[in-house]
Amino acid sequence: MMEDPLFWVFVLPGLLLGVYAQSRIKINLAKYTQVPTLNGITGAEVARKLLDAQGLKDVTVESTPGVLSDHYDPRTKTLRLSQQVYYAPNVAAAGIAAHETGHALQDAEDYFPMEARTYIVPVVQLAAQAAPWVFIAGMLLQMPTLAWVGIILFASSSLFALLTLPVEFNASARAKELLVQHGIIQGEEQLDGVEKVLGAAAWTYVAAAVSALGVWLFYVFIMFFRGRSASSIR
């Protein structure tokens, strides 16, 4: 399918947004890793302070290898920060640590979009593997119903990407509010830095959603137009 020029018509917007997002992340991280936090508080200390202030002392904060590998694991109640965030006393690290803390708060409050996304992860993983084969089998065997099953399976990835948007935007909003509320971020430069770092990261999720929708629309287009053309020829 990737050899089909039409595939890139649907997918290219998401890819371009992804490239833009990555460039903004690099630029803003390079800039705001140079802006220190007050009293030299590190990313790990930011996360621990905010978690404790919200009564989430059962959530563990750990260092994890990798670049931008920061994440919160709701299964083990563990907040994992990359070493560049865990040990770093700068505004970018504080923003990322607070963002992941926002996910821990969502988990504690049973925030619906996060709960829904967590529950469908196994389904999405299975569907993503099966969808192309089911769709191709349906087309080759001239079984439209089977092909539509493949398209529905593709839709699960789009649903996951769309559910990710409110989860990530909400976590960033919580992060900024908590950082200001607890006096970790002060002044216009520091607040602007947090907003730019988290805003750039948010574009990666938008790009993923656009790409997922593009792939899904590509297969729908094939089914509606090319599949229909093949049927009319017969």
Side-chain angles (χ1 to χ4, degrees):
M1 295 295 178
M2 293 180 65
E3 295 81 6
D4 192 328
L6 191 62
F7 175 83
W8 297 105
V9 171
F10 284 100
V11 174
L12 191 59
L15 294 178
L16 293 177
L17 278 176
V19 171
Y20 169 77
Q22 290 299 322
S23 69
R24 297 308 303 170
I25 288 174
K26 289 181 180 179
I27 291 171
N28 287 305
L29 283 179
K31 180 176 181 179
Y32 291 104
T33 51
Q34 303 303 313
V35 179
T37 50
L38 296 175
N39 303 319
I41 186 172
T42 65
E45 291 168 335
V46 168
R48 186 73 270 160
K49 180 176 182 177
L50 296 180
L51 288 168
D52 290 349
Q54 300 301 311
L56 300 180
K57 296 185 178 182
D58 60 325
V59 175
T60 304
V61 180
E62 297 179 352
S63 172
T64 189
V67 178
L68 296 178
S69 54
D70 314 272
H71 65 279
Y72 170 71
D73 187 344
R75 298 167 300 177
T76 61
K77 310 297 180 186
T78 304
L79 196 158
R80 298 188 176 94
L81 300 175
S82 61
Q83 294 180 0
Q84 293 88 343
V85 172
Y86 190 94
Y87 297 105
N90 58 60
V91 167
I96 294 170
H99 175 89
E100 299 306 329
T101 301
H103 287 313
L105 289 173
Q106 291 173 339
D107 183 34
E109 297 173 5
D110 295 328
Y111 182 62
F112 177 73
M114 183 182 189
E115 294 293 307
R117 188 182 69 168
T118 300
Y119 284 129
I120 70 170
V121 165
V123 176
V124 171
Q125 291 175 334
L126 181 61
Q129 294 177 351
W133 300 106
V134 173
F135 179 81
I136 292 172
M139 295 294 286
L140 291 176
L141 298 173
Q142 299 180 1
M143 298 174 61
T145 301
L146 185 60
W148 276 112
V149 170
I151 289 175
I152 292 171
L153 292 176
F154 272 115
S156 66
S157 296
S158 300
L159 176 61
F160 180 83
L162 291 173
L163 281 173
T164 295
L165 294 180
V167 173
E168 298 300 332
F169 283 122
N170 179 265
S172 290
R174 291 171 186 259
K176 287 181 280 188
E177 181 180 345
L178 289 171
L179 288 170
V180 173
Q181 178 183 339
H182 292 278
I184 297 171
I185 293 299
Q186 295 183 6
E188 201 170 306
E189 182 185 19
Q190 291 193 342
L191 181 59
D192 186 54
V194 169
E195 290 179 342
K196 286 185 176 179
V197 169
L198 296 183
W203 274 106
T204 64
Y205 300 107
V206 173
V210 172
S211 293
L213 284 172
V215 171
W216 180 72
L217 288 172
F218 170 70
Y219 284 101
V220 170
F221 181 88
I222 288 179
M223 191 61 196
F224 263 120
F225 295 98
R226 295 186 179 176
R228 184 175 297 176
S229 298
S231 298
S232 63
I233 292 174
R234 294 196 309 271

